[in-house]
Amino acid sequence: MLNHFAIFKTTGFLYVTPGMVLMWFIGLILIYLAIAKDYEPLLLLPIGFGILLANLPLAGLMNPGEGLLWRFYHYGIQWEIIPPLIFLGLGALTDFAPLLANPRLIFLGAGAQAGVYITFFVAHAIGFTLPEAATIGIIGGADGPTTIFLATKLAPQLLGTCAVAAYSYMAMVPIIQPPIMRLMTTDKERKIRMKKTRKVTKLEKLAFPIVSTFVVILLVPAAAPLIAMLMLGNLFREAGVVERLSKASQNELMNIVTIFLGLPVGATMNAETFLQPKVIYIFILGLFAFMVSTATGILLAKIMNIFSKRKINPLLGAAGVSAVPMAARVVHKVGTEADKKNYLIMYAMGPNVAGVIGTVIAAGIFLTLLS
Amino acid sequence: MSNSFIVFISGITGVFCGMALLYFAIRITSFVTDKIEMAKEAKK
């Protein structure tokens, strides 16, 4: 009898806490949203499962130095390997031609970053430390890997929460953005048709990743890991002579690193670190960041229209957040509601990809000033 | 001036300067590549 009880004590059942049960529930919600609602399933599914694993007693998967998920986290994320590799795949998937055809749209990618800094300011004002506030603010950039990269460096204790907030809100771009877009633009503005842009040559597309690498890294050296990989991936794509590397970056590598990103990020969310009142503030501030980024992008487009003869459809400003290509699709959808023949998708891809670069620069500036 | 305000101002200014620099870099690249393409066409 005594032996049976001793064996029972080695199982996890005796050590389950109410906090762990609550975390299982949160993990299952994320898995449900990924499977049933198709909300960023590539990330939310492994994150949700990682939450379940991290909250199983005695499993020790996140025990420093020995746990399996801890090793994924330590060598993959803390060593800054996985987020830059995601950027390599992202670069190989991204066509910068819409931006090169209409370079002034790059400023809309910058305009949306104002939301990042406004949220940073607000988060610090309500009691978060400067590094924590920066990590929360970057959620507004709508860029998951950059959020994870910055959180790992500045506020690792917020990594899981900020990553889940960023990916959740990215999935909800079609719900969050349209009301703000309609509120901030008139029907007449939404009907503005963009002028046909020039053709971008192959040589120009080839030169862009090299030129951007120099410009961004010289300006913000702290952003080098992300921008270097983004532009290398794009160079693979545009070079046309390394199709195998381009395809591998877009598919196999991207898929593998996505698994090793989501699982350990979810595993950082244990009951002790996640079940705190400040988590609610982070989710509210993350949503605020998204909304303000959308609004500032639109506002900048309207300001540019005051000084420009060639009018920009202000809806394009909302694509300045870097949720690629979701934000561009939303712009197109809202545009066609006002004018069925107004095809904005290709124009919206310009600020959309500029937003990726803008968020990386914003993160680099945070790192330079705060780390 | 508080630290957060300094980061706020430096951040926004930095992002806009960075993107402006990239804008001019793209314009210069376009100009140069267009010239190269035109020269190639002329040779043909």
Side-chain angles (χ1 to χ4, degrees):
Chain A
M1 191 64 195
L2 187 66
N3 282 342
H4 283 116
F5 186 70
I7 290 168
F8 184 66
K9 271 170 68 178
T10 64
T11 68
F13 294 106
L14 281 179
Y15 305 93
V16 174
T17 62
M20 286 175 180
V21 176
L22 193 57
M23 291 307 295
W24 297 348
F25 185 64
I26 291 168
L28 288 172
I29 289 176
L30 293 185
I31 292 172
Y32 168 77
L33 289 175
I35 297 171
K37 302 286 178 187
D38 206 28
Y39 279 3
E40 291 285 337
L42 293 176
L43 261 305
L44 288 190
L45 192 66
I47 288 177
F49 199 71
I51 294 173
L52 297 183
L53 294 177
N55 290 282
L56 288 169
L58 305 186
L61 290 169
M62 276 302 274
N63 282 358
E66 57 185 61
L68 176 71
L69 297 186
W70 180 86
R71 289 194 172 119
F72 292 167
Y73 172 69
H74 182 67
Y75 298 112
I77 298 174
Q78 281 188 320
W79 278 24
E80 289 176 28
I81 292 172
I82 292 177
L85 286 181
I86 294 269
F87 262 69
L88 180 73
L90 199 62
L93 282 165
T94 306
D95 181 9
F96 283 101
L99 178 66
L100 298 174
N102 204 346
R104 67 185 176 141
L105 297 180
I106 202 168
F107 292 105
L108 301 181
Q113 307 312 316
V116 169
Y117 287 99
I118 291 169
T119 308
F120 159 79
F121 196 68
V122 173
H124 183 61
I126 65 172
F128 285 96
T129 63
L130 288 173
E132 285 176 343
T135 306
I136 296 165
I138 207 75
I139 296 172
D143 191 332
T146 308
T147 305
I148 291 167
F149 181 78
L150 192 69
T152 311
K153 293 224 168 194
L154 292 183
Q157 71 279 13
L158 301 185
L159 172 64
T161 314
C162 288
V164 169
Y167 282 111
S168 306
Y169 292 139
M170 279 162 68
M172 289 196 279
V173 160
I175 301 165
I176 298 170
Q177 285 198 315
I180 302 164
M181 292 156 82
R182 289 187 198 106
L183 190 72
M184 291 199 60
T185 53
T186 62
D187 195 49
K188 193 181 164 193
E189 283 173 328
R190 290 196 287 273
K191 284 179 179 164
I192 293 176
R193 289 197 181 183
M194 297 293 292
K195 294 247 166 66
K196 203 177 171 191
T197 48
R198 67 189 185 84
K199 197 173 175 284
V200 178
T201 62
K202 185 173 164 36
L203 185 61
E204 205 176 335
K205 286 204 262 184
L206 201 54
F208 175 73
I210 298 167
V211 171
S212 324
T213 304
F214 273 98
V215 171
V216 177
I217 295 180
L218 285 174
L219 186 76
V220 197
L226 296 182
I227 208 74
M229 288 293 112
L230 180 75
M231 294 306 165
L232 177 64
N234 193 248
L235 193 58
F236 284 165
R237 176 196 173 92
E238 301 301 344
V241 291
V242 284
E243 205 173 327
R244 279 168 52 193
L245 299 186
S246 176
K247 290 243 167 79
S249 308
Q250 291 176 31
N251 301 305
E252 293 87 355
L253 184 64
M254 187 80 155
N255 293 339
I256 291 166
V257 291
T258 301
I259 296 168
F260 290 107
L261 180 71
L263 206 55
V265 163
T268 61
M269 293 167 66
N270 55 43
E272 292 81 44
T273 57
F274 189 77
L275 298 176
Q276 293 178 19
K278 69 177 178 185
V279 168
I280 296 167
Y281 287 112
I282 293 171
F283 273 87
I284 294 170
L285 285 166
L287 179 62
F288 174 77
F290 247 75
M291 294 166 77
V292 177
S293 293
T294 304
T296 50
I298 294 170
L299 199 63
L300 187 73
K302 292 173 91 147
I303 293 169
M304 284 168 75
N305 277 348
I306 297 170
F307 301 101
S308 173
K309 280 181 188 169
R310 284 170 58 202
K311 301 291 178 204
I312 298 170
N313 189 315
L315 292 176
L316 295 185
V321 298
S322 43
V324 182
M326 187 85 87
R329 283 189 195 144
V330 171
V331 167
H332 178 72
K333 189 172 172 286
V334 176
T336 49
E337 281 170 13
D339 176 1
K340 279 183 183 170
K341 288 186 178 173
N342 199 1
Y343 298 101
L344 292 174
I345 184 87
M346 278 316 287
Y347 302 102
M349 284 306 291
N352 211 186
V353 294
V356 177
I357 300 172
T359 308
V360 171
I361 294 177
I365 292 169
F366 275 139
L367 279 177
T368 309
L369 297 174
L370 300 175
S371 64
Chain B
M1 214 186 304
S2 73
N3 285 339
S4 62
F5 192 70
I6 293 168
V7 176
F8 175 75
I9 295 296
S10 314
I12 289 182
T13 313
V15 170
F16 273 94
C17 286
M19 293 305 241
L21 210 56
L22 205 52
Y23 169 78
F24 287 114
I26 291 172
R27 293 304 295 260
I28 293 166
T29 308
S30 302
F31 179 78
V32 173
T33 52
D34 282 353
K35 290 282 173 204
I36 294 170
E37 293 290 334
M38 279 164 65
K40 272 185 190 170
E41 288 293 317
K43 269 187 183 175
K44 281 178 187 173

